[in-house]
Amino acid sequence: MSKKNIKKKFENIYRIMLKEYGHQGWWPLTSDGKLKPEYHKGDYSYPKTDKQFLEICQGAILTQNTSWKNVEKALTCLNENKLIDIDKILAHQHNALAECIRSSGYHNQKAERLKIMAKFLKATPISMLQKLDVKTLREILLKIKGVGPETADSIILYAFNKPIFVIDTYTKRIFSRLGLCKKDVKYEELQELFMSNLSTNNPQKDTELFNEYHALLVEHAKRYCATKPRCEECILRNECKKSI
Ligand code: SF4
């Protein structure tokens, strides 16, 4: 397939999903202890407060190796216990914190990671990090214990509102089935494929596009392209190698 056609395909897939699923309203933040993703659909100016910023960082850690559904319960518990707060997380007893986030799995390890993240953010002002370019910011985040590429990129895209494409299991699954990458594609390789085919060189536009595209892929994986795909009803079947 020519470069031009690959680019077209990336754009078509996005258009089809957006038309069918609409704006996803990521990052889904909590409000008064309840998740209300619908309240900011199509508004890419989140986070609006430091609390929301921290909640996105916490969510990015909690979602490691688990579904968002399990993260929702943990975030709701953190919110109800007023633990979406750097100082309170640091002061909170480890076991109590782990218990609060139990639903997200690996709760002891994740409790430690939440504390490490809080310690980092206490020592490094968000306003200083916000001024960094994506590459430098990514390098710094990747040095934090427990922060891998997906977590770092989720924080850069959804908390800092900077343009980077987040790759996850769903992205790899869908795009390998579509015939656009290998099943065992490397994280950075697929990320580069997305960014080179979608970037407009306008950071604001790219941030919004990467935000929405990633969220739409998660939705698509839930609706059709699950481990066992529902190809016959799938909205991307005409674009998909697997279904042909
Ligand atoms: S046609 Fe099947 S494999 Fe292809 S994207 Fe849809 S559900 Fe996934």
Side-chain angles (χ1 to χ4, degrees):
M1 208 186 300
S2 72
K3 271 190 178 175
K4 207 173 151 196
N5 284 347
I6 293 176
K7 189 174 165 49
K8 248 187 168 172
K9 201 148 180 133
F10 271 78
E11 291 166 355
N12 270 349
I13 290 162
Y14 177 72
R15 254 195 301 273
I16 295 168
M17 291 193 299
L18 185 61
K19 190 168 173 231
E20 183 72 17
Y21 308 144
H23 292 281
Q24 295 301 297
W26 274 45
W27 187 278
L29 298 159
T30 61
S31 168
D32 301 327
K34 297 229 166 14
L35 274 137
K36 290 188 175 172
E38 71 281 2
Y39 80 109
H40 58 100
K41 282 187 176 179
D43 178 355
Y44 302 102
S45 61
Y46 283 81
K48 294 188 194 292
T49 63
D50 284 356
K51 183 183 175 223
Q52 290 175 345
F53 178 93
L54 179 61
E55 183 180 318
I56 294 172
C57 296
Q58 291 177 331
I61 290 169
L62 294 171
T63 199
Q64 293 168 347
N65 302 308
T66 194
S67 69
W68 186 254
K69 222 173 168 199
N70 297 328
V71 177
E72 287 180 357
K73 284 186 211 148
L75 277 180
T76 301
C77 182
L78 288 176
N79 203 14
E80 283 168 355
N81 287 281
K82 312 221 176 318
L83 288 169
I84 304 183
D85 179 292
I86 290 175
D87 290 322
K88 287 186 182 147
I89 278 278
L90 289 172
H92 212 66
Q93 214 235 344
H94 172 90
N95 289 348
L97 179 59
E99 201 45 51
C100 188
I101 60 165
R102 180 179 276 277
S103 66
S104 69
Y106 302 96
H107 54 294
N108 276 311
Q109 189 186 57
K110 287 182 182 174
E112 189 200 349
R113 289 179 180 179
L114 290 184
K115 279 182 178 279
I116 293 171
M117 178 57 73
K119 203 172 163 193
F120 167 76
L121 291 173
K122 192 170 170 70
T124 329
I126 297 168
S127 54
M128 190 275 271
L129 293 166
Q130 188 72 52
K131 287 184 195 136
L132 301 174
D133 61 78
V134 172
K135 191 171 173 278
T136 312
L137 180 58
R138 193 172 196 264
E139 280 166 9
I140 291 174
L141 291 175
L142 285 173
K143 281 186 189 141
I144 303 170
K145 189 180 168 197
V147 174
E150 188 183 333
T151 308
D153 294 341
S154 297
I155 292 172
I156 295 169
L157 179 64
Y158 291 107
F160 286 101
N161 272 321
K162 288 181 186 283
I164 196 150
F165 205 95
V166 179
I167 303 297
D168 63 2
T169 317
Y170 301 138
T171 321
K172 280 190 190 175
R173 181 201 295 157
I174 297 169
F175 270 70
S176 61
R177 286 175 177 173
L178 287 166
L180 289 162
C181 70
K182 288 190 200 137
K183 219 172 162 183
D184 59 351
V185 65
K186 295 259 181 316
Y187 186 100
E188 271 82 11
E189 198 187 325
L190 186 54
Q191 183 177 58
E192 170 55 26
L193 197 64
F194 268 96
M195 292 179 65
S196 59
N197 280 293
L198 296 171
S199 286
T200 61
N201 288 324
N202 176 328
Q204 184 58 35
K205 261 191 174 175
D206 289 350
T207 303
E208 293 177 9
L209 177 63
F210 298 166
N211 173 320
E212 199 65 62
Y213 208 135
H214 176 75
L216 287 166
L217 285 172
V218 173
E219 188 61 23
H220 184 67
K222 278 198 260 170
R223 294 201 198 193
Y224 298 104
C225 207
T227 316
K228 195 172 166 218
R230 298 196 301 119
C231 299
E232 274 163 37
E233 298 143 79
C234 178
I235 56 164
L236 295 181
R237 65 188 176 280
N238 293 335
E239 302 286 333
C240 189
K241 209 173 170 189
K242 183 174 168 63
S243 76
I244 297 166

